[in-house]
Amino acid sequence: MICFIKNRTVLLLLLPIICLGQTQKKDYTKLSYDELHDLYFDNEKDQTKQLEYAQAYLAKANRENIAIRKAKANYQFALLYYKTDINKAITYLDSVIKYSQNTGHKFFPAAAYCEKADFLKKQFKFKEAMANYNMAEKIALKTNIDYYYVVREYIGITKSEDLGDYNGALDIYKECYRYYKSKDLRNPKLSRDYQSVIFGLADCYKSLQNRDSTTFYNKLGFRESQITKNEEYQFLFVLNEGANQIEGKNYKIGLDSINKALPKMIEYNNVGNVLAAYYFLGKAFDGLGKKEIAAENFIKVDSIYKVTKEISTEFIDGYPYLITYYKNLGDKENQLKYITAYMTIDSTLQKNYKELNKLVHKEYDIPRLISDKEKLIASLNTDKRVTYWVLGVLFLTTIGVGGFGVYQYQLKKKYRSRFEKIIEETSIIGDKEIEVNKEKENKIATTKIEPIGIAEELVNQILEKLDEFENKKGYLESNITVQMLSTTFETNSKYVSKIVNVYKGKTVTQYINDLRIEYTVVQLQENKMLRKYTIQALALEFGFNNAESFSAAFYKKTGIKPTYFIKELDTVI
């Protein structure tokens, strides 16, 4: 998705700006708040000085005990640390929220919630981010209606660019569009926000493949940015329309627009949209049959990604193109290079977008890439080996084929028996109705347990919390430990371990893993889409940190490998 330049400097205008003359004072607390504010933002390239001014601002606020000034000081610290220690920055924003609550300020704490949401997005914590955006809009609706629509737009951007909810984003952009249309757009700030919303509308319609509406809003945005003489925005709309034309297979028209916009994106150091421009150039040249030039542009996309380490799912299709391109050329080294790059991106997206299921499942799936990668490595190594070693391996392989074949037959028979047992216990295949086996829960209710040195009332409380933990599927969270459970249950970790050992008949780790696998088995039967996931993706989906731990837990619980289970499911369901 082409990224619009949403101006976050609205938050920098929260305090009055007063011109400041040169001063030699060392005790900065004697300066006014406005002077300290100006010094802070006038020295954005010198973080040491910024830290001094922020510390002086906070010291002055603490001495005078003014809550809103304390909030603004903490906000300066948050901005100072967000690039180097984002968790520390979020902590400062929490202080901003704390000090600015119920002050009636026009921007705070709404702006702090909004900024915190943005920081959480950078950590791919989208649910938490949306919760903070919702707090921001709730407060802004009461204190500052203009800022309310700024927050609404941020929510639209998140839905569109991060969550892929284009229809939801479109509704928000339309709401904001109607609001700005009713305002005096001679105000530069409102005019800029209006253009931002227009771009959001154009980009959503592009993602929804509504070419005509995309063109309409790109043209409208271009005219509005001409009126305000904002050159960067003008060419951003040109770039977006070029992408729209290329998606509509009007390659030559699209190329003309992209070639006009690209130099401006480079001039303004708009790296994200430079990457987008090269990507769409690659698509256009591919559509025109100019494979070599297409490959050159997709290689530029990869070069930018290597520097920024940022790429969205929209722009990764160049990698399958490069893999196929070099495969057809017989260039195994470059084919292997881009397979490796593509797999690395897939792993990153699976980790970061776990809850959104925003994974790479397009022309190339990861198991196939792994297979191709292994074959290429083997092929490249084989070229360097002496022939008789190959012949020796083949000879030994031939001897082992007979015995291995028998072993495989017996193993498959055993796996099939176990598979059928799982299906029989968890589902009614004919009606495709999944039923979770409740035997273990009933066993706990009917079996008498000898005293275990813990008060019966406490035992019952912990068992109830374990039931709630199971019902709410808390086991799907990753990195759960007995310490985390005991903290959640507000009790001792030794009690939790002992009760799980006695009443569940297993260790805490085994208990959690078994719950995850039982849920996995049911979900794989109910949801065909899950069967298309890689093992790594399934591991992350069901609370495991990697494919190895997931496969090991699945085998321990069921006696078969997850790949076999999925394969057999596809033959019976």
Side-chain angles (χ1 to χ4, degrees), residues 83 197 223:
K83 288 184 179 179
V197 166
R223 290 195 300 271

Side-chain angles (χ1 to χ4, degrees), residues 356-454:
L356 308 175
N357 292 326
K358 226 177 186 183
L359 310 176
V360 182
H361 295 295
K362 294 190 178 179
E363 182 179 348
Y364 280 83
D365 62 14
I366 294 306
R368 178 182 169 188
L369 283 176
I370 293 172
S371 175
D372 288 350
K373 180 178 179 180
E374 290 173 349
K375 289 177 182 177
L376 283 168
I377 293 171
S379 177
L380 289 168
N381 289 336
T382 299
D383 292 341
K384 301 174 184 179
R385 293 175 185 163
V386 181
T387 304
Y388 68 82
W389 282 109
V390 177
L391 294 173
V393 171
L394 289 173
F395 176 73
L396 292 173
T397 301
T398 302
I399 294 175
V401 164
F404 183 72
V406 173
Y407 169 76
Q408 284 293 310
Y409 172 77
Q410 293 176 340
L411 186 62
K412 287 180 180 179
K413 188 175 180 181
K414 185 186 295 184
Y415 271 21
R416 181 64 190 184
S417 175
R418 291 173 180 173
F419 170 80
E420 290 173 349
K421 184 179 179 182
I422 294 169
I423 295 299
E424 183 181 348
E425 290 177 349
T426 61
S427 66
I428 303 172
I429 297 298
D431 297 327
K432 295 186 178 179
E433 296 174 356
I434 309 303
E435 298 178 348
V436 177
N437 193 330
K438 297 292 185 181
E439 287 183 8
K440 293 185 179 178
E441 295 180 10
N442 295 333
K443 188 175 180 181
I444 292 171
T446 57
T447 303
K448 273 194 171 183
I449 303 295
E450 294 296 326
I452 59 174
I454 303 174

